[in-house]
Coordinates of all heavy atoms in Angstrom, one line a residue:
M1415 N -19.5 24.5 -158.5 CA -20.0 25.8 -159.1 C -19.9 25.8 -160.6 O -20.8 26.3 -161.3 CB -19.3 27.0 -158.5 CG -19.6 27.2 -157.0 SD -18.8 28.6 -156.3 CE -19.8 29.9 -157.0
V1416 N -18.8 25.2 -161.2 CA -18.7 25.1 -162.6 C -19.8 24.2 -163.2 O -20.4 24.5 -164.2 CB -17.3 24.6 -163.0 CG1 -17.2 24.2 -164.4 CG2 -16.2 25.6 -162.6
I1417 N -20.0 23.1 -162.5 CA -21.1 22.2 -163.0 C -22.5 22.9 -163.0 O -23.2 22.8 -164.0 CB -21.1 20.9 -162.2 CG1 -19.8 20.1 -162.4 CG2 -22.3 20.0 -162.5 CD1 -19.7 18.9 -161.5
V1418 N -22.8 23.5 -161.9 CA -24.1 24.2 -161.8 C -24.1 25.3 -162.9 O -25.2 25.6 -163.5 CB -24.3 24.8 -160.4 CG1 -25.6 25.6 -160.3 CG2 -24.4 23.7 -159.4
G1419 N -23.0 26.0 -163.1 CA -23.0 27.1 -164.1 C -23.2 26.5 -165.5 O -24.0 27.2 -166.3
V1420 N -22.6 25.4 -165.8 CA -22.9 24.8 -167.1 C -24.3 24.4 -167.3 O -24.9 24.6 -168.3 CB -21.9 23.6 -167.3 CG1 -22.3 22.8 -168.6 CG2 -20.5 24.0 -167.4
I1421 N -24.9 23.8 -166.2 CA -26.3 23.4 -166.3 C -27.2 24.7 -166.4 O -28.2 24.6 -167.2 CB -26.7 22.7 -165.0 CG1 -25.9 21.3 -164.9 CG2 -28.2 22.4 -164.9 CD1 -26.2 20.6 -163.6
S1422 N -26.8 25.8 -165.8 CA -27.6 27.0 -165.9 C -27.6 27.5 -167.3 O -28.6 28.0 -167.8 CB -27.0 28.1 -164.9 OG -27.1 27.6 -163.6
I1423 N -26.5 27.4 -168.0 CA -26.4 27.8 -169.4 C -27.1 26.9 -170.3 O -27.8 27.4 -171.3 CB -24.9 28.0 -169.8 CG1 -24.2 29.1 -169.0 CG2 -24.8 28.2 -171.3 CD1 -22.7 29.2 -169.2
I1424 N -27.1 25.6 -170.0 CA -27.8 24.6 -170.9 C -29.3 24.8 -170.7 O -30.0 24.7 -171.7 CB -27.3 23.2 -170.6 CG1 -25.8 23.1 -170.9 CG2 -28.1 22.2 -171.4 CD1 -25.3 21.7 -170.5
V1425 N -29.8 24.9 -169.5 CA -31.2 25.0 -169.3 C -31.5 26.3 -168.6 O -31.8 26.4 -167.4 CB -31.8 23.8 -168.4 CG1 -31.9 22.6 -169.3 CG2 -30.8 23.5 -167.2
P1426 N -31.4 27.5 -169.3 CA -31.5 28.8 -168.6 C -32.9 29.1 -168.1 O -33.0 29.8 -167.1 CB -31.1 29.7 -169.7 CG -31.4 29.0 -171.0 CD -31.1 27.6 -170.7
L1427 N -33.9 28.5 -168.7 CA -35.3 28.9 -168.2 C -35.5 28.2 -166.9 O -36.1 28.9 -166.0 CB -36.3 28.3 -169.2 CG -37.8 28.6 -168.8 CD1 -38.0 30.1 -168.7 CD2 -38.7 28.0 -169.9
A1428 N -35.0 27.0 -166.6 CA -35.2 26.4 -165.3 C -34.4 27.2 -164.3 O -34.9 27.3 -163.1 CB -34.7 24.9 -165.4
T1429 N -33.2 27.7 -164.6 CA -32.5 28.5 -163.7 C -33.2 29.8 -163.4 O -33.3 30.2 -162.2 CB -31.1 28.8 -164.3 OG1 -30.4 27.6 -164.6 CG2 -30.3 29.6 -163.3
A1430 N -33.8 30.4 -164.4 CA -34.5 31.6 -164.2 C -35.7 31.4 -163.3 O -36.0 32.2 -162.4 CB -35.0 32.2 -165.5
V1431 N -36.4 30.3 -163.5 CA -37.6 30.0 -162.6 C -37.1 29.8 -161.2 O -37.8 30.2 -160.2 CB -38.3 28.8 -163.2 CG1 -39.4 28.3 -162.2 CG2 -39.0 29.1 -164.5
A1432 N -36.0 29.1 -161.0 CA -35.5 28.8 -159.7 C -35.1 30.2 -159.0 O -35.4 30.4 -157.8 CB -34.3 27.9 -159.7
V1433 N -34.5 31.1 -159.7 CA -34.1 32.4 -159.2 C -35.4 33.2 -158.8 O -35.5 33.8 -157.8 CB -33.3 33.2 -160.2 CG1 -33.1 34.6 -159.7 CG2 -31.9 32.5 -160.4
N1434 N -36.4 33.1 -159.7 CA -37.6 33.7 -159.4 C -38.3 33.2 -158.1 O -38.8 34.0 -157.3 CB -38.6 33.5 -160.6 CG -40.0 34.1 -160.4 OD1 -40.2 35.3 -160.6 ND2 -40.9 33.2 -160.0
G1435 N -38.2 31.9 -158.0 CA -38.8 31.3 -156.7 C -38.1 31.7 -155.5 O -38.7 32.0 -154.4
L1436 N -36.7 31.8 -155.6 CA -35.9 32.3 -154.5 C -36.3 33.7 -154.1 O -36.4 34.0 -152.9 CB -34.4 32.2 -154.8 CG -33.5 32.6 -153.7 CD1 -33.6 31.7 -152.5 CD2 -32.0 32.5 -154.2
I1437 N -36.4 34.6 -155.1 CA -36.8 36.0 -154.8 C -38.2 36.0 -154.2 O -38.4 36.8 -153.3 CB -36.8 36.8 -156.1 CG1 -35.3 36.9 -156.6 CG2 -37.3 38.2 -155.9 CD1 -35.2 37.6 -158.0
G1438 N -39.1 35.2 -154.7 CA -40.5 35.1 -154.1 C -40.4 34.8 -152.6 O -41.1 35.4 -151.8
I1439 N -39.6 33.7 -152.3 CA -39.5 33.3 -150.9 C -38.9 34.4 -150.0 O -39.4 34.7 -148.9 CB -38.7 32.0 -150.8 CG1 -39.4 30.9 -151.5 CG2 -38.4 31.7 -149.3 CD1 -38.6 29.6 -151.6
V1440 N -37.9 35.1 -150.5 CA -37.3 36.2 -149.8 C -38.3 37.3 -149.5 O -38.3 37.9 -148.4 CB -36.1 36.7 -150.6 CG1 -35.5 38.0 -149.9 CG2 -34.9 35.7 -150.6
L1441 N -39.1 37.6 -150.5 CA -40.1 38.6 -150.4 C -41.2 38.2 -149.3 O -41.6 39.1 -148.5 CB -40.8 38.9 -151.7 CG -39.9 39.7 -152.7 CD1 -40.7 39.8 -154.1 CD2 -39.6 41.1 -152.2
L1442 N -41.5 37.0 -149.3 CA -42.5 36.5 -148.3 C -41.9 36.6 -146.9 O -42.6 37.1 -146.0 CB -42.9 35.0 -148.6 CG -43.8 34.8 -149.8 CD1 -44.1 33.3 -149.9 CD2 -45.2 35.5 -149.6
L1443 N -40.7 36.2 -146.8 CA -40.0 36.3 -145.4 C -39.9 37.8 -145.0 O -40.1 38.1 -143.8 CB -38.7 35.7 -145.5 CG -38.7 34.1 -145.7 CD1 -37.2 33.6 -145.8 CD2 -39.4 33.4 -144.5
A1444 N -39.6 38.7 -146.0 CA -39.5 40.1 -145.7 C -40.8 40.7 -145.2 O -40.9 41.5 -144.3 CB -39.0 40.9 -146.9
G1445 N -41.9 40.2 -145.9 CA -43.2 40.6 -145.5 C -43.6 40.2 -144.1 O -44.1 41.0 -143.3
I1446 N -43.3 38.9 -143.8 CA -43.6 38.4 -142.4 C -42.8 39.2 -141.4 O -43.3 39.6 -140.3 CB -43.3 36.9 -142.3 CG1 -44.2 36.1 -143.3 CG2 -43.4 36.4 -140.9 CD1 -43.9 34.7 -143.4
F1447 N -41.5 39.4 -141.7 CA -40.6 40.2 -140.7 C -41.2 41.6 -140.5 O -41.2 42.1 -139.4 CB -39.2 40.2 -141.3 CG -38.3 41.1 -140.5 CD1 -37.7 40.6 -139.3 CD2 -38.0 42.4 -140.9 CE1 -36.9 41.4 -138.5 CE2 -37.2 43.2 -140.1 CZ -36.6 42.7 -138.9
Q1448 N -41.7 42.2 -141.6 CA -42.2 43.5 -141.5 C -43.4 43.6 -140.7 O -43.6 44.5 -139.9 CB -42.5 44.1 -142.9 CG -43.0 45.5 -143.0 CD -41.9 46.5 -142.5 OE1 -40.7 46.3 -142.8 NE2 -42.2 47.5 -141.9
I1449 N -44.3 42.6 -140.8 CA -45.5 42.5 -139.9 C -45.1 42.4 -138.5 O -45.7 43.1 -137.6 CB -46.4 41.4 -140.4 CG1 -47.0 41.6 -141.7 CG2 -47.5 41.1 -139.3 CD1 -47.8 40.5 -142.3
V1450 N -44.2 41.5 -138.2 CA -43.7 41.3 -136.8 C -43.1 42.6 -136.2 O -43.4 43.0 -135.1 CB -42.7 40.1 -136.7 CG1 -42.1 40.0 -135.3 CG2 -43.4 38.8 -137.1
H1451 N -42.3 43.2 -137.0 CA -41.7 44.5 -136.6 C -42.7 45.6 -136.3 O -42.6 46.3 -135.4 CB -40.7 45.0 -137.7 CG -40.0 46.3 -137.3 ND1 -39.1 46.4 -136.4 CD2 -40.2 47.5 -137.8 CE1 -38.6 47.6 -136.3 NE2 -39.3 48.3 -137.1
A1452 N -43.7 45.7 -137.2 CA -44.8 46.7 -137.1 C -45.6 46.4 -135.8 O -46.0 47.4 -135.1 CB -45.7 46.7 -138.3
V1453 N -45.9 45.2 -135.5 CA -46.7 44.8 -134.3 C -46.0 45.0 -133.0 O -46.5 45.5 -132.0 CB -47.2 43.4 -134.4 CG1 -47.9 42.9 -133.2 CG2 -48.2 43.2 -135.6
R1454 N -44.7 44.7 -133.0 CA -43.9 44.8 -131.8 C -43.5 46.2 -131.5 O -43.3 46.5 -130.3 CB -42.6 43.9 -131.9 CG -42.9 42.4 -131.8 CD -41.6 41.6 -131.8 NE -41.8 40.2 -131.5 CZ -40.8 39.3 -131.4 NH1 -39.5 39.7 -131.5 NH2 -41.1 38.1 -131.2
R1455 N -43.3 47.0 -132.5 CA -42.9 48.4 -132.3 C -43.8 49.4 -133.0 O -43.4 50.1 -133.9 CB -41.4 48.6 -132.8 CG -40.4 47.6 -132.1 CD -39.0 47.9 -132.5 NE -38.6 49.3 -132.1 CZ -37.5 49.9 -132.4 NH1 -36.5 49.2 -133.1 NH2 -37.2 51.1 -132.1
P1456 N -45.0 49.5 -132.6 CA -46.0 50.4 -133.2 C -45.7 51.8 -132.6 O -46.4 52.3 -131.7 CB -47.3 49.9 -132.8 CG -47.1 49.2 -131.5 CD -45.7 48.6 -131.5
E1457 N -44.7 52.5 -133.1 CA -44.3 53.8 -132.6 C -45.5 54.8 -132.7 O -45.8 55.5 -131.8 CB -43.1 54.3 -133.3 CG -41.9 53.4 -133.1 CD -40.7 53.9 -133.9 OE1 -40.8 54.8 -134.7 OE2 -39.6 53.2 -133.9
T1458 N -46.1 54.9 -133.9 CA -47.2 55.8 -134.1 C -48.2 55.0 -135.0 O -47.9 54.0 -135.6 CB -46.8 57.1 -134.8 OG1 -46.3 56.8 -136.1 CG2 -45.8 57.9 -133.9
A1459 N -49.5 55.5 -135.0 CA -50.5 54.9 -135.8 C -50.1 54.9 -137.3 O -50.3 54.0 -138.0 CB -51.8 55.5 -135.6

């Protein structure tokens, strides 16, 4: 963790892009889960 922390400080833009990509993937997974949930449990229109 210390090594990764030092690298993050040395190349902060690459770290920011990686964090951005992680958030993007999480949002995609959340969207897919939301679709599955809506289809399986359509309580009302």
Side-chain angles (χ1 to χ4, degrees):
M1415 294 185 72
V1416 168
I1417 293 175
V1418 175
V1420 171
I1421 294 175
S1422 299
I1423 294 174
I1424 295 175
V1425 285
L1427 181 58
T1429 303
V1431 172
V1433 171
N1434 175 83
L1436 180 61
I1437 295 175
I1439 293 173
V1440 170
L1441 287 174
L1442 286 178
L1443 294 176
I1446 295 172
F1447 174 80
Q1448 185 65 36
I1449 291 175
V1450 173
H1451 179 73
V1453 171
R1454 286 187 174 182
R1455 301 186 61 182
E1457 299 175 357
T1458 62

